[in-house]
Amino acid sequence: MSGSPWLGLSLLIAVSLLWGTSFVLIEIAARDYGALSMALSRAAVAAVFLGAVALPAVHRLRIDARIWSRIVSLSVVGQVLPFFLLGLSGRLTSSSSSAVMMGAAPIATIVVARLMFHERWSAGRWLGVVIAGTGVVIAFGWNGILLSPPQAGFGADDSIGKLCALGAALGYAFGAIIFRSIPSQIPPIVVAATSLSCSSLLLAGGAVLQGDTLAAFGRADAASSTALIALGVLNTGCAYAIYYKLISISGAGFASLNNYLVPIIGAMAGAVLLGEAISWNLTLGLLMIVCGILLSALLQK
C-alpha cells in the first residue's frame, strides 16, 4: 500500500458507508418513484457530478470507436440494468435483503471471469464460491428449500425483489469484466463519467417512451426526492470519485475490501434506520457470502 495508510483506511470506510447506505436511500425513494425514474435520476446526477470532476482529463483524450463500443456496453450492462433492477428491488423487498443479495457481486464476477476467460481455480477458490453460493441460497429463503417467511410487509413480492438484486449483482459482475477490457491509459474516473452519461441518455430515452416516468418527479414528496438526489450525488457520484482515489493511493487490492463491508453496512443500515427485521437466514447467508468472498480472495492460488 502506498500513500498514507490512515488516508487509505478513511477512504475505504467512506466508500463502504456510501455504497452500503445506498440501499436505504433506494428504499425511501421507491415510495414515490418507479424503478426507471430512480435509475435515470441516479445516472444523470452522478454523470453531471463526475463530468465536472473529470472534465480536465476528458478534453485531452481521444477515444476511438472500439473503446466507445466498450463504454456503451459498460453503460448498458454495468449501469442501466443494475440501477433499474435495484430500483425494482427497492420497491419489492427490504433494503437489508437487497444489500445481502448484492453481496454476491464479487463471487458473480469470479464466476463470470471463469466462464468467459477459462480462468483456472484453486481448490480454495472453488470452496469459497461454493460457500458463498450456499449463503445466497440461505439468504434467499426460497419456500421449499428453506422454511423462511418473506420480509415483513413485502409478501410474495419479496422473492422477486431478491431476484432483482441478484440480477443487479450479475450486471455489475459483467460490467467489471467489460471495465477490465478498457485500456488503462483512459483514467477510470473518465470511464465512469462517460459511461454514466451514456446511461443517462439511454434511460432518458426509455423515460420518454414510457411517458409517465417523468411525471413522478413532479408529484413525489420531499423525503423521496431528497433521497433520490443524495443517491445520485453522494452514493454514486462521490462514491465513484472516492473509490478511484482510493485505488490510486492504496491499490486495487485494498480497495476491493469494500466488498466485505458493503453488505454488512447495508443490512445494519436497514435495521437501524428503517427498523427492518433481519431474519436468521439473512444473517447466516450474509456471513457465508462474506466468508466465501474472503476464502476466494485469500486462496486464489
Side-chain angles (χ1 to χ4, degrees), residues 174-202:
F174 276 103
I177 300 299
I178 296 170
F179 181 84
R180 291 182 195 174
S181 70
I182 297 174
S184 58
Q185 295 90 331
I186 303 176
I189 198 166
V190 172
V191 175
T194 53
S195 59
L196 281 166
S197 298
C198 292
S199 297
S200 302
L201 293 175
L202 292 170

Side-chain angles (χ1 to χ4, degrees), residues 133-149 159 280-281:
T134 304
V136 170
V137 174
I138 291 174
F140 200 102
W142 277 314
N143 292 327
I145 296 180
L146 293 170
L147 296 177
S148 171
S159 293
W280 68 267
N281 62 297

Side-chain angles (χ1 to χ4, degrees), residues 89-281:
S89 182
R91 295 177 65 86
L92 299 174
T93 190
S94 67
S95 66
S96 301
S97 293
S98 294
V100 173
M101 292 296 105
M102 277 300 300
I107 290 297
T109 304
I110 293 172
V111 173
V112 169
R114 161 80 178 181
L115 295 174
M116 292 181 65
F117 305 119
H118 307 288
E119 293 183 350
R120 300 186 65 180
W121 286 1
S122 65
R125 173 154 284 192
W126 276 107
L127 178 62
V129 169
V130 170
I131 290 174
T134 304
V136 170
V137 174
I138 291 174
F140 200 102
W142 277 314
N143 292 327
I145 296 180
L146 293 170
L147 296 177
S148 171
Q151 288 288 309
F154 293 97
D157 288 339
D158 179 59
S159 293
I160 300 175
K162 289 176 180 176
L163 276 176
C164 288
L166 281 175
L170 192 59
Y172 281 133
F174 276 103
I177 300 299
I178 296 170
F179 181 84
R180 291 182 195 174
S181 70
I182 297 174
S184 58
Q185 295 90 331
I186 303 176
I189 198 166
V190 172
V191 175
T194 53
S195 59
L196 281 166
S197 298
C198 292
S199 297
S200 302
L201 293 175
L202 292 170
L203 288 164
V208 171
L209 290 175
Q210 191 182 42
D212 187 53
T213 299
L214 299 178
F217 292 97
R219 58 174 180 255
D221 66 21
S224 297
S225 298
T226 301
L228 194 59
I229 293 171
L231 181 65
V233 175
L234 299 176
N235 300 72
T236 306
C238 283
Y240 271 123
I242 293 172
Y243 180 66
Y244 293 129
K245 182 66 175 178
L246 173 60
I247 290 176
S248 69
I249 291 175
S250 304
F254 183 77
S256 69
L257 292 177
N258 80 86
N259 292 322
Y260 311 109
L261 300 176
V262 168
I264 297 173
I265 292 171
M268 292 177 60
V272 174
L273 300 177
L274 298 179
E276 295 175 349
I278 301 180
S279 61
W280 68 267
N281 62 297

Side-chain angles (χ1 to χ4, degrees), residues 27-53:
E27 193 80 22
I28 295 172
R31 296 169 185 170
D32 290 308
Y33 290 98
L36 185 55
S37 301
M38 286 189 281
L40 171 58
S41 177
R42 182 178 186 179
V45 172
V48 171
F49 177 85
L50 286 177
V53 175

